[in-house]
């Protein structure tokens, strides 16, 4: 036996969409209903465990055999489910991995597992079996009845008179549906195998599988949650919301001040017309009122902002995701962003947590942990905002360990400068200077120092750096908050011109990439720009990065943009989350490339530090759970090592030690 293709149908009383696969599979009520498998490409066999079938010993033995490759679509689900099932029912066939101190070792070793969903993502295809089958126009398609069958057999049902008050549907309750469910299970394995055959001429490099296995280790390890902080924060939020609602009702006389319609009417009755009660609009009104407006209106809108804070949702997500070991597992989706190959967040969404700016964060956290609502109310005017800033602090190292949090300094700016050959910027990084000051100095031709000479120009340098690196113009500056930061409308276009004039190599790089992509698509020839290679094969555009990894664009062609000019379009999952034609051009491709290279640099650091207990990562940051004796400086030095495929890029990682996660 060399390989197996597997698909499971399972039952659990846990909602997998809210709680994730790890918590789903550890439930006492978890069961494997159907086990569909093909060994070495043979016809699929479905083992009906719900009706008494047993899985052959040689197949069970292969699940822990590192010489047998296990394939599945979203293989993490099958591996986690089988890990729990084996430990419970056939422990003699379960073998964990890693060292005893590592929480990741509770699961089957991911090293011998491969995932056809990851293969699809690598090729720029959808992350669903149904979606991939449709795009590839496979002969075998996923059965459309699947969702109804899963709803019927795989989740608890509501007790009704019609179903005799039962809370679960078993095979005997509808034998016809059960037979169809077995066919559905068989078909899923067949579709997975068809995907592998169709993509066979585009194999995933071993380095990507190694990264996937490292990702699975991190998801298996999970990250500890301080559930006392979580539960107290949820309770505090409820109390705070009740108090705020009462204050608003007393102030406005409204039954439900949370109602946008009622609130707009009340404002209108008081001479204030507002098109929107969105956070940005309300905050802008409050800021500009300056005491000139009726005090009740300003106060009501301040209360509205506090009530609108959704901080509690993150705490509830933590409550949903936490497993029996007190850790949240499965928070990272490998290749979740298939334009760059970056990770996407799952469950608690570590990638988009609110930042913390409180100087007394430790003290506020201690008050919440102690459950002292009265003291919190006494010391902090805005409880929802305080709870929001404390969200990160709910992530903690286990007892006897500490967190080291280390992140790259200005990674995208460094990569962009390196790829484009903008040497003055690389020199700034080499000398350890502030890129925002240096950019402002380059743009305005005067020395700029933070908190020093011409320091007021640093803010213009910063906003330009953040908004203009990928072809952005006046609109990009506005969306980055340039007007709110005090810049005037008249300053914006000159700022764009000044930044582009100061960065001629980057500006040229955008349009060199644009020409290379168009030439490759129209002439079907390989092109190259500063070490980035472009080629066309079998209806796909590929961009080869310095790491050797490929970015994939499906069915590219030349079209016309909204301004009547020439543009590139390709098929992918767009902003609507649907498969559609997406328009792109030079600067956008540069953004994809820079973010992809930055991701590869982070991956290189993760591999360098894989002997450490990495428990999380966010864009350019690693969170490591380690022994108190581990040296922070050594971790940052290891993270700063340039990869072999880009030896002369200048990297810098800075970090800090902490007893709870935060933004330092």
């Amino acid at each position: 036996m060399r390989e197996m293709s597997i698909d499971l149908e399972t039952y659990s009383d846990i909602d997998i969409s809210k709680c994730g696969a790890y918590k789903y599979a550890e439930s006492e009520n978890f069961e494997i209903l159907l086990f569909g498998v093909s060994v070495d490409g043979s016809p699929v066999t479905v083992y009906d465990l719900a009706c008494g079938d047993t899985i052959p010993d040689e197949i069970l033995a292969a699940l822990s055999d590192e010489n047998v490759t296990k394939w599945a679509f979203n293989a993490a689900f099958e591996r986690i489910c089988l890990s729990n099932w084996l430990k419970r029912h056939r422990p003699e066939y379960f073998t964990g991995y890693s060292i005893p101190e590592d929480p990741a070792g509770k699961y089957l070793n991911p090293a011998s597992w491969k995932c056809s969903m990851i293969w699809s993502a690598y090729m720029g295809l959808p992350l669903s079996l149904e979606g991939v089958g449709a795009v590839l126009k496979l002969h075998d398609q996923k059965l459309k009845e699947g969702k109804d069958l899963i709803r019927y057999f795989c989740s608890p049902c509501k007790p009704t008179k019609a179903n005799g008050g039962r809370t679960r549907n078993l095979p005997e309750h509808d034998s016809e549906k059960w037979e169809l469910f077995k066919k559905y299970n068989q078909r899923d394995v067949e579709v997975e195998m068809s995907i592998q055959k169709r993509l066979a001429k585009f194999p995933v490099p071993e380095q990507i599988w190694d990264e996937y296995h490292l990702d699975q280790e991190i998801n298996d390890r999970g990250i500890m949650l301080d559930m006392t902080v979580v539960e107290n924060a949820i309770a505090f939020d409820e109390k705070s919301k009740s108090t705020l609602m009462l204050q608003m009702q007393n102030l406005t006389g409204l039954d439900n001040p949370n109602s946008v319609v009622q609130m707009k009417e009340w404002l209108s009755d008081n001479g204030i017309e507002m098109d929107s009660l969105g956070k940005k609009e309300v905050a802008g009104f409050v800021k500009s009122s300056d005491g000139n407006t009726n005090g009740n209106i300003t106060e009501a809108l301040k209360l509205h902002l506090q009530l609108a804070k959704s901080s509690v949702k993150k705490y509830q997500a933590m409550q949903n995701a936490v497993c029996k070991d007190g850790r949240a597992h499965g928070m990272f989706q490998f290749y979740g962003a298939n334009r760059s190959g970056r990770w996407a967040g799952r469950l608690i969404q570590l990638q988009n947590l609110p930042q913390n700016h409180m100087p007394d964060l430790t003290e506020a956290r201690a008050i919440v942990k102690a459950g002292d609502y009265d003291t919190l109310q006494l010391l902090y005017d805005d409880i929802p905002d305080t709870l929001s800033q404390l969200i990160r602090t709910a992530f903690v190292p286990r007892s006897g360990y500490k967190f080291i949090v280390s992140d790259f300094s200005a990674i995208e700016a460094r990569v962009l400068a390196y790829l484009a050959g903008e040497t003055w910027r690389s020199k700034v990084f080499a000398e350890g200077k502030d890129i925002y000051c240096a950019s402002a100095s380059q743009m305005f031709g005067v020395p700029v120092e933070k908190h020093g000479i011409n320091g007021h120009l640093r803010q213009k340098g910063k906003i330009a750096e953040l908004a203009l690196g990928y072809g952005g113009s006046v609109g990009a500056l506005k969306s980055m908050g340039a007007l709110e930061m005090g810049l005037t409308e008249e300053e914006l276009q000159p700022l764009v011109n000044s930044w582009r004039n100061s960065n001629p190599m980057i500006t040229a790089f955008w349009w060199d990439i644009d020409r290379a992509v168009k030439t490759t698509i129209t002439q079907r020839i390989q092109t190259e720009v500063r070490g980035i290679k472009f080629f066309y094969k079998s209806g796909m555009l590929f961009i080869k990065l310095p790491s050797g990894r490929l970015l994939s664009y499906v069915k590219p062609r030349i079209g016309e943009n909204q301004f009547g000019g020439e543009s590139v379009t390709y098929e992918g999952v767009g902003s609507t989350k649907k498969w559609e034609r997406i328009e792109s051009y030079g600067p956008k491709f540069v953004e994809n490339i820079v973010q992809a290279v930055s991701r590869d640099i982070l991956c290189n650091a993760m591999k360098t530090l894989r002997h450490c207990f990495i428990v999380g990562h966010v864009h350019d940051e690693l969170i490591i759970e380690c022994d108190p004796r581990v040296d922070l400086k050594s971790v940052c030095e290891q993270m700063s090592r340039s990869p072999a495929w880009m030896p002369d890029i200048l990297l810098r990682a800075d970090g800090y030690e902490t007893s709870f996660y935060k933004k330092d």
Side-chain angles (χ1 to χ4, degrees), residues 281-291 298 302 483-486:
E281 290 76 13
V282 174
F285 181 89
V286 169
K287 188 178 177 183
S288 64
S289 63
D290 266 346
T298 304
K302 283 180 181 176
L483 298 177
E484 289 82 0
M485 290 179 186

Side-chain angles (χ1 to χ4, degrees), residues 17-237:
S17 64
K18 286 183 182 175
C19 304
Y22 289 85
K23 190 166 183 175
Y24 173 92
E26 75 174 15
S27 166
E28 295 301 318
N29 295 313
F30 168 77
E31 286 180 37
I32 294 177
L33 306 174
L34 301 172
F35 183 103
V37 62
S38 163
V39 175
D40 292 332
S42 62
V44 178
T45 302
V46 173
Y47 295 98
D48 183 349
L49 274 63
C51 294
D53 285 358
T54 56
I55 304 169
D57 287 355
E58 62 269 24
I59 288 177
L60 293 177
L63 295 174
S64 289
D65 187 340
E66 293 188 24
N67 296 311
V68 178
T69 301
K70 276 74 67 176
W71 281 95
F73 194 93
N74 188 18
F77 176 77
E78 271 70 19
R79 187 177 61 82
I80 295 155
C81 288
L82 285 163
S83 296
N84 283 279
W85 187 87
L86 285 172
K87 282 190 287 184
R88 195 176 299 168
H89 299 285
R90 300 298 300 270
E92 68 273 25
Y93 287 115
F94 174 79
T95 306
Y97 68 108
S98 196
I99 58 176
E101 296 82 9
D102 188 355
K106 297 182 299 184
Y107 302 94
L108 289 166
N109 191 344
S112 60
W113 288 73
K114 290 187 175 177
C115 179
S116 42
M117 182 178 81
I118 300 304
W119 197 347
S120 301
Y122 186 73
M123 296 302 299
L125 296 168
L127 291 178
S128 72
L129 191 60
E130 187 176 18
V132 178
V135 171
L136 293 180
K137 296 183 171 58
L138 298 179
H139 179 264
D140 291 323
Q141 295 274 341
K142 189 176 175 79
L143 293 179
K144 291 189 170 24
E145 303 92 335
K147 284 181 184 174
D148 290 336
L149 293 168
I150 287 170
R151 199 177 298 115
Y152 189 79
F153 289 114
C154 299
S155 306
C157 63
K158 283 186 178 178
T160 63
K161 280 186 181 178
N163 70 14
R166 67 175 183 265
T167 56
R168 181 180 170 188
N169 296 314
L170 297 169
E172 59 262 33
H173 294 131
D174 196 322
S175 56
E176 210 173 291
K177 275 185 179 175
W178 186 252
E179 287 306 310
L180 186 58
F181 199 31
K182 289 200 279 189
K183 285 180 184 169
Y184 170 78
N185 180 233
Q186 176 185 334
R187 175 63 64 84
D188 272 7
V189 181
E190 290 166 349
V191 174
E192 288 163 18
M193 292 166 70
S194 296
I195 291 169
Q196 292 175 46
K197 284 177 188 168
R198 182 63 66 88
L199 299 180
K201 57 184 167 184
F202 302 108
V204 176
E206 281 307 312
Q207 73 182 61
I208 304 299
W209 288 127
D210 185 42
E211 292 168 3
Y212 168 66
H213 296 144
L214 177 54
D215 160 80
Q216 293 294 284
E217 283 178 36
I218 294 167
N219 277 309
D220 286 353
R221 186 170 297 121
I223 184 168
M224 184 71 74
L225 289 165
D226 188 330
M227 291 310 293
T228 304
V229 168
V230 171
E231 281 154 16
N232 285 348
I234 291 170
F236 284 15
D237 186 77

Side-chain angles (χ1 to χ4, degrees), residues 293-426:
T293 311
N294 180 321
N296 280 356
I297 292 172
T298 304
E299 186 59 30
L301 289 173
K302 283 180 181 176
L303 291 170
H304 176 83
L305 280 175
Q306 289 185 53
L307 268 172
K309 272 273 180 196
S310 58
S311 55
V312 73
K313 288 182 180 174
K314 289 290 184 187
Y315 291 113
Q316 287 166 340
M318 292 173 183
Q319 210 172 37
N320 289 335
V322 68
C323 291
K324 290 175 183 176
D325 61 0
R327 303 173 80 90
H329 299 266
M331 296 214 303
F332 308 98
Q333 174 60 61
F334 186 72
Y335 246 88
N338 61 10
R339 229 86 76 216
S340 64
R342 278 183 164 182
W343 277 264
R346 292 292 181 263
L347 301 174
I348 305 167
Q349 299 280 358
L350 200 66
Q351 278 82 346
N352 65 358
L353 298 180
Q355 291 199 0
N356 51 267
H357 304 286
M358 297 168 63
D360 54 349
L361 191 73
T362 303
E363 292 80 1
R365 184 185 191 279
I367 293 167
V368 173
K369 188 170 173 69
D372 190 348
Y373 181 79
D374 292 339
T375 299
L376 195 75
Q377 193 176 36
L378 182 70
L379 296 178
Y380 299 94
D381 293 333
D382 191 337
I383 288 179
D385 181 65
T386 303
L387 295 176
S388 179
Q389 294 201 49
L390 289 173
I391 288 170
R392 290 171 188 266
T393 75
F395 294 105
V396 292
R398 67 191 128 139
S399 178
Y401 286 72
K402 68 178 179 183
F403 276 160
I404 283 181
V405 182
S406 182
D407 72 331
F408 288 116
S409 169
I411 185 65
E412 285 192 31
R414 289 170 189 263
V415 170
L416 180 58
Y418 177 91
L419 293 176
E422 200 68 78
T423 51
W424 72 264
R425 297 169 73 89
S426 297

Side-chain angles (χ1 to χ4, degrees), residues 512-575:
D512 289 344
I513 294 288
D514 191 74
R515 280 189 292 275
V517 169
K518 287 174 179 173
T519 301
T520 293
I521 292 170
T522 54
Q523 299 183 33
R524 306 288 199 264
I525 60 172
Q526 181 172 310
T527 57
E528 184 173 340
V529 178
R530 299 190 60 82
I532 308 292
K533 296 181 174 68
F534 306 83
F535 64 95
Y536 184 96
K537 182 180 177 183
S538 303
M540 304 278 287
L541 168 70
F542 294 100
I543 301 178
K544 189 171 186 179
L545 304 172
S547 65
R549 188 166 69 94
L550 300 179
L551 301 184
S552 312
Y553 298 84
V554 179
K555 298 179 184 174
R557 64 181 185 221
I558 305 299
E560 189 177 289
N561 63 27
Q562 57 184 315
F563 308 109
E566 202 176 54
S567 72
V568 175
T569 67
Y570 59 90
E571 291 184 6
V573 179
S575 55

